[in-house]
Amino acid sequence: MGYGKYLAYRLSNALLVLLIVTFVVSILFTKVADEQLRSSIQEQINLRVRTDPNLQKLAKSDPQALEEWKEREYKRLLHAYGLDKPYWQRVIERTKDTMLLRFGDVRSAIFGETNVRKIIAIAIPRTVLLFTTSSLIVMFLGLALGIKAAQKAGGLFDRALSVFAMVTTSIPMWWFGMILILIFSFKLNLLPSGGMTSIPPKTGFAYYIDVLKHMILPLTTIVFVSFGGWAWVTRNLMIGTLQEDFIMAARAKGVPENRVIYGHALRATAPPIITMTIFTLLGSLNGAILTESVFNWPGMGRLYWVAIQQMELNLIMGLTYISVALYLIGVLLADLAYGYLDPRVKVGVSQQV
Amino acid sequence: MRWVDVKDSLANFWFEFRRQKGGLLGIALLALLVFVAIAAPFITSPDIPQKWKLPWEDTPKAVPPVWYNWFAGKQLAPHKEYTFNDIKLLVNGEDLGGGMRYYKLEFTYDFKYDVPPTNIIIKGINVKLQDINTKANIIITVHRPDGKSIEVYSGDLIEGMVIQLAYDDISRNNIISWASQFESQKDLASIVPSTIDVMKVLFAKAQPGILVNPQPLKGTYKFDIEIYTFNPGDKVDFNHMKVIFTGRTYGYMGTDTMGRDIWAGLVWGTRISLIIGISVAVLSVFIGVLYGVASAYFGGWTDEMMMRFQEFMASIPTLPILILLASSFHGHVTLGIIVLLLVIFGWVGIARVSRSMALQIKEQTYVEAAIALGAGSGRIVFKHIMPQLLPYAFAQIALSVPGAILTEAGLSYLGLGDPTAVTWGQMLHDAQAASATINGYWWWVIPPGLAIALVSLTFVLLGTALDRVLNPRLRRL
């Protein structure tokens, strides 16, 4: 199987998965949306009955006619909202709309917007700002420290790093955030406890300083809890590579140690590290729901949480779709990178198919 | 396999494992956790899970642990509960004539702190009145170490009565008017009676400033409780009587804003954490290994379909979907459902690795020989392939536990956990809901998180040690 065919196969696979996930979530939500709409229709009718003087007159003179009017109005609204169509037809329509990024509106404005696509467009850059920045720091620190540890495996630094990695991966990230808030915001009163800007937001240059100040605590939290694990994985991969024959050969040839490490070994360990990088970066777009909740950071993660609490179904659909799509793009990119860097992968796939 | 072989391989395993310091630490921690989980009813009290969501009336609200005194400049009075055994019954229903009876009780309180209790609660005096219109009378007098006495309370005694000296109008007025005689005119003009902490006044030196800036008077305080009943049929029973000096500190770990003992929550939380972690890990690894092996063994279209499904599951972002599913249960997520949800998303990665391992094992000559000899699928899978995967599975079980524990804690923290269970995530959720970080209730925020981290660390240590010993192929330095 050639590279183009492999690409087409992976792409169609990803699209199929995206379609199925969207379809399943649509099945789940069309039912809920049903109940939501029906009760809101009932509310609208009741409101009309209570406020419209004509209808109140009717209620006194001819209660039977009022009931009939209610019935007619209910049917009319049901039709207007498209609820009289069969369930499956609506599921398919919802799936189609979602696939085409037509997410619709929310009931009450979030970030001053009601259109779901606009709301998500506001949230994504905020999450990118926080999580992509921290992911880059984590990756840089993790790679640098992991390579250092692998060079002197079993040494004091290596062992200390392993212990640090084990301890930090056991810590719940959001809890660590709470502790930092407790110490730095409320005991020492040094940094803001949450949000992205002060209220009201500052203007001009002060705005950027303000955002930076708000970023310090969440950034520290994410970096501190994550980089140990990254370093540890890098270290393990590097040690595995450093034991291979070609490294021995390079050393025997008298290649400088730095070239051996960064030229030979790091290149050989690149594929899994690139996969990790892609997943970390795309995972960062999704935003950690918990961390954003703790720090009140108005990005994708918090948006998801708000959407679920307020049962904004259109927003939930949109966010789910975007996050699944991003994840699939990540898988696709990782696979393509692998296929490019390591020709054996393609052979493996053609054997399976 | 014969018994000798089992013993032999176990001995070999132990010989290797003994050299893993982290693994030994993991075993020690696991033993400790299991001990705490099993002994929870004996370490605290057995009714904690039932009691957890009910109001805790007798305990102080949001106070730090007792050992806080070691670090604080001021000694804070700890929580103290007196039962009838600590109270002397001096006069038990002496007949005063005309149907009147007299009771007198006495107890002492050794006050050696800088800050007195927040409240003194007297409850559980069971009085049965013959005629509801003729009430009994109760008088409480405090004899202070400086020889002065205050009649802090005198009033009717009715059935089921709880006297709270710090909040009751009668006792507040009595204490404030008693203290006023020592106070300077200037201070008297400036005080606002409703804002005074009368407990601080009651346990303060009788000198000017007693109301505005009370200085603690240390020593032994004697409390007299006198009761008069006016009908021959009235009965008073003191057996369930309790006097509670509500502390400024409480227990090993303090209390939350609802007065719940955080230490009890921590101890009981161990159970849920271990149960969820271990059951999710065992189930998802078992399903994952079985799935992977089946996929590799059957091959062809079955393999293709199974792998497509695996990819489908793997491409679902777990936490958002978990939150979505949990929230669709409308707050009635039981532990069983949480375990189920975590397993549904937990087996995926393991299935992939097991499949690739099984693909290699399948090609080995002894498996081919077994197929040639006409062994059935079940026999080959369970007798020849699965045992080869066991070491991997064991290490993987230990390594999957932290993820499950962290996810459950996260869900509980968001308020989607089992509302009836005492879990650490739930405690942190309550802490966040009560703005514990803003109010500086560190004893409510730090211990549950440390506990979660400790359990996770235990299994990370065990998992990496097992991985090194059982999977020599993957062994690294």
Side-chain angles (χ1 to χ4, degrees), chain A residues 110-123:
Chain A
I110 298 174
F111 304 148
E113 290 282 352
T114 50
N115 185 286
V116 170
R117 226 190 310 176
K118 282 184 186 151
I119 295 172
I120 295 177
I122 293 173

Side-chain angles (χ1 to χ4, degrees), chain B residues 12-247:
Chain B
N12 271 338
F13 166 75
W14 180 242
F15 179 75
E16 288 275 334
F17 193 85
R18 244 179 10 190
R19 287 188 290 183
Q20 303 285 339
K21 273 186 224 145
L24 291 180
L25 179 63
I27 289 186
L29 285 175
L30 183 66
L32 177 77
L33 288 169
V34 169
F35 170 76
V36 171
I38 292 173
F42 309 104
I43 297 174
T44 63
S45 71
D47 58 345
I48 296 292
Q50 290 80 41
K51 211 173 129 187
W52 194 251
K53 289 283 156 184
L54 304 171
W56 289 47
E57 285 152 350
D58 299 346
T59 48
K61 316 286 177 251
V63 295
V66 169
W67 45 265
Y68 181 60
N69 277 344
W70 302 343
F71 308 103
K74 282 183 173 173
Q75 294 294 303
L76 309 174
H79 190 74
K80 215 162 200 173
E81 284 193 31
Y82 285 1
T83 56
F84 185 57
N85 295 332
D86 308 307
I87 298 166
K88 271 182 268 176
L89 183 56
L90 295 178
V91 183
N92 189 8
E94 189 191 341
D95 202 339
L96 300 179
M100 259 174 84
R101 282 217 179 90
Y102 175 64
Y103 301 83
K104 186 174 179 187
L105 302 141
E106 184 190 283
F107 58 90
T108 55
Y109 179 66
D110 210 7
F111 179 65
K112 45 180 190 249
Y113 317 100
D114 297 320
V115 188
T118 46
N119 193 3
I120 300 172
I121 302 171
I122 298 162
K123 61 192 263 187
I125 302 177
N126 274 333
V127 53
K128 285 267 177 300
L129 297 175
Q130 183 190 2
D131 176 6
I132 209 87
N133 294 315
T134 337
K135 297 183 178 83
N137 243 330
I138 182 166
I139 299 164
I140 303 169
T141 317
V142 180
H143 303 288
R144 294 157 38 100
D146 59 1
K148 298 187 169 62
S149 299
I150 320 171
E151 192 185 288
V152 286
Y153 192 93
S154 64
D156 293 336
L157 180 67
I158 45 178
E159 291 175 35
M161 189 161 153
V162 177
I163 301 172
Q164 303 208 30
L165 292 182
Y167 306 119
D168 201 290
D169 284 338
I170 302 172
S171 56
R172 288 186 66 89
N173 287 335
N174 283 344
I175 293 169
I176 292 172
S177 64
W178 169 81
S180 298
Q181 58 178 308
F182 307 106
E183 191 54 288
S184 67
Q185 281 303 318
K186 187 167 66 70
D187 285 346
L188 277 178
S190 69
I191 61 155
V192 184
S194 59
T195 59
I196 290 175
D197 185 340
V198 291
M199 285 297 120
K200 284 188 179 160
V201 176
L202 184 63
F203 292 98
K205 285 181 183 145
Q207 61 189 27
I210 183 168
L211 284 171
V212 284
N213 184 22
Q215 299 298 317
L217 173 70
K218 297 181 187 179
T220 305
Y221 288 71
K222 194 157 74 73
F223 286 72
D224 284 342
I225 299 178
E226 289 162 291
I227 293 166
Y228 295 91
T229 57
F230 302 102
N231 274 319
D234 291 349
K235 284 196 178 64
V236 191
D237 171 24
F238 299 105
N239 279 325
H240 300 287
M241 183 180 168
K242 254 188 183 174
V243 177
I244 301 156
F245 290 83
T246 318

Side-chain angles (χ1 to χ4, degrees), chain A residues 9 13 17 20-21 153 166 170 172 174-175 178-179 182 186 232 235 290 294 304-305 308 316 324 327-328 352, chain B residues 304 308 311-312 314-315 317 320 323-324 327 410 413-414 432 437-438 442 445-446 449 453 456-457 461 464 477:
Chain A
Y9 167 75
N13 201 42
V17 170
I20 295 175
V21 172
M166 283 185 194
S170 308
W174 42 277
W175 171 74
M178 285 170 87
I179 300 292
L182 186 73
F186 295 109
W232 204 62
R235 164 205 179 264
L290 291 153
V294 169
Y304 208 102
W305 180 231
I308 285 172
I316 298 177
V324 174
Y327 187 88
L328 288 172
Q352 281 169 36
Chain B
E304 189 64 19
R308 285 300 82 78
E311 268 168 31
F312 167 71
S315 59
I323 292 173
L324 210 62
S327 70
Y413 169 76
L414 289 173
Q432 183 77 348
T437 43
I438 297 174
W442 51 267
V445 180
I446 295 175
S456 302
L457 182 65
L461 287 171
T464 41
L477 280 166

